[in-house]
Amino acid sequence: MTDTATPNVTIHPFDDAIHLDTLGNGRYRGRTTEAYRNMVGPYGGITAAVMLQALLQRPERLGDPVALTVNFAGPVRDGAFEIATREIRTSRSTQHWFAEMVQEPDSDVSTTATAVFGTRRETWRHTEASPPSLPPRETLIAARKSTSAPWSERYDRRTINDLDAGVARSWVADVPPRPLDFPSLASLCDAIRPWLFVRRPQPTPIGTVTLNVYFHAAADELAAIDAAPLKVVARTNVIRRGFFDQEAQVWSPDGALIATTQQVVWFKA
Amino acid sequence: MTDTATPNVTIHPFDDAIHLDTLGNGRYRGRTTEAYRNMVGPYGGITAAVMLQALLQRPERLGDPVALTVNFAGPVRDGAFEIATREIRTSRSTQHWFAEMVQEPDSDVSTTATAVFGTRRETWRHTEASPPSLPPRETLIAARKSTSAPWSERYDRRTINDLDAGVARSWVADVPPRPLDFPSLASLCDAIRPWLFVRRPQPTPIGTVTLNVYFHAAADELAAIDAAPLKVVARTNVIRRGFFDQEAQVWSPDGALIATTQQVVWFKA
């Protein structure tokens, strides 16, 4: 995608959306973009990504993200926002952070996040989980985009809903393709179609209230995946009394588990 | 257990451990107890429970806990601590909180937590997950307690490690029995033996860095379970580069999914 103001500079819409200006004292200024707009306000995944991006900008930051929790406390309005970051504590192997997003004029907090960073040294290793079985990506049809939710055009999602197993298996890729990093992986964790819509096709108002991401790969490992489409297997355990959960595994195409993610979603039905 | 100072009053060691004095301005004072001591400092589950308990004490609190994330930023020392709570935002159906634990003399933050509370109205419902298959509790032998970790005596854990499926299925109950509530459920989410120890029996230093709990039942539903032992099915997806994850489902004996939980654990091996 070409930036219309400076046509010889190419900037990916994701990088545009997570761009932050440094304000000092751990504060950053950004703004929502049309490319990741949802029906009302921005797509939750891009908000998670920009919260993480603020922490990644901190010069004190050590190591790679290991865990990220983003709480969607209230609506993010289209326009400018500020993110204040706070270093909670740093030890030899981990570093803990808190971040909150506010918007003028009322300075209400729309979003909070906590994150754990860690030093990813080599250790004994063992993988228990198995990658999902998925047909070749080319044989699947991409999910329809929604014109009222432009963010849906930012992902190529090819999903098989296994109603017997209660599992959705997908190929997911950024549109246009973009080298994988922690913010884009965090954003992708929110891109799976809610299972509620599979089980109950009526229009249902929903909103994610909290999103959790555990990163199982280091920065160099994500960089090696480059822009390859990822495999995602997602499941919802229970839908009841106003909330449902979703949990998912994100796998590299060659079978490395790179993230696990969970969220709780409010719904009205 | 009988309180030795007032022998006609019975207080459960869990209630003793999560007891907080109100200091005003959303601040609470507590102290660690011998009953939930781990090898160094308190058991992580009891720290999670007391963070949640502080939020439950706030008179502004609306509804039931839906999600809790506890970040273990540094060691909790045996002795007194303070928990400062902060209401982030309240909407019609959800309320978001932040809490942090500090200890004198240096006021370092040992623990942070975010929580989402929600109003649990009746809605359309659907359960996708299935309860674990477990033999009758009476037929299983309880896990050995560790004298160097007194908290292990506070749980009766009867576990089948299914090495083929990579899953640990357990009956878990408070010792002595205690009616279930949100703090005790949060604490129990940390009680499963790390899968690393199953796959790699050598002594390995570990420490949970973050614990996440999603509550799928309302207060009245937990109360109805009373002190019945719970079923827990736990799995670790991946152990590598200094960290491993654990995720678990907690089921009532009559087959209701009441919590899902995840954590990331640092290890040295």
Side-chain angles (χ1 to χ4, degrees), chain A residues 196-197 200 202-207 244 265-269:
Chain A
L196 173 69
F197 297 163
R200 186 177 186 274
Q202 298 96 310
T204 308
I206 66 160
F244 63 90
V265 185
W266 168 91
F267 74 101
K268 189 171 179 178

Side-chain angles (χ1 to χ4, degrees), chain B residues 71-122:
Chain B
N71 291 312
F72 301 93
V76 178
R77 291 185 295 272
D78 292 325
F81 54 78
E82 275 189 32
I83 300 174
T85 62
R86 176 183 157 210
E87 184 182 340
I88 299 287
R89 187 152 172 173
T90 299
S91 69
R92 204 162 36 176
S93 46
T94 61
Q95 188 176 56
H96 289 255
W97 292 91
F98 178 70
E100 56 190 306
M101 177 186 284
V102 298
Q103 288 185 298
E104 296 306 334
D106 52 18
S107 290
D108 273 355
V109 179
S110 65
T111 318
T112 65
T114 61
V116 186
F117 285 70
T119 311
R120 284 294 199 173
R121 67 196 189 292
E122 280 305 327

Side-chain angles (χ1 to χ4, degrees), chain B residues 16 24 35 37 43 82 85 93 98 124 127 185 190 203 224-225 228 247 255:
Chain B
D16 183 41
R37 185 171 62 75
Y43 161 60
E82 275 189 32
T85 62
S93 46
F98 178 70
W124 185 84
T127 299
L185 181 51
D190 194 35
I225 293 169
E247 53 190 42

Side-chain angles (χ1 to χ4, degrees), chain B residues 14 17-18 32-51 70 72 76-78 81 101 111 148-155 157 172-174 183-194 208 211 246 263:
Chain B
F14 187 84
I18 65 166
T32 64
T33 65
E34 175 65 17
Y36 286 89
R37 185 171 62 75
N38 203 346
M39 279 176 284
V40 180
Y43 161 60
I46 203 71
T47 301
V50 78
M51 297 295 279
V70 180
F72 301 93
V76 178
R77 291 185 295 272
D78 292 325
F81 54 78
M101 177 186 284
T111 318
S148 60
W151 77 269
S152 65
E153 298 176 41
R154 301 276 66 79
Y155 291 98
R157 297 175 291 175
V172 184
D174 282 310
S184 69
L185 181 51
S187 180
L188 186 144
C189 284
D190 194 35
I192 300 300
R193 183 160 173 256
T208 298
L211 170 68
Q246 180 191 278
Q263 61 177 278

Side-chain angles (χ1 to χ4, degrees), chain B residues 216-237:
Chain B
H216 302 298
D220 56 319
E221 297 169 307
L222 295 191
I225 293 169
D226 196 41
L230 303 175
K231 294 179 182 177
V232 181
V233 54
R235 103 174 29 244
T236 282
N237 291 298

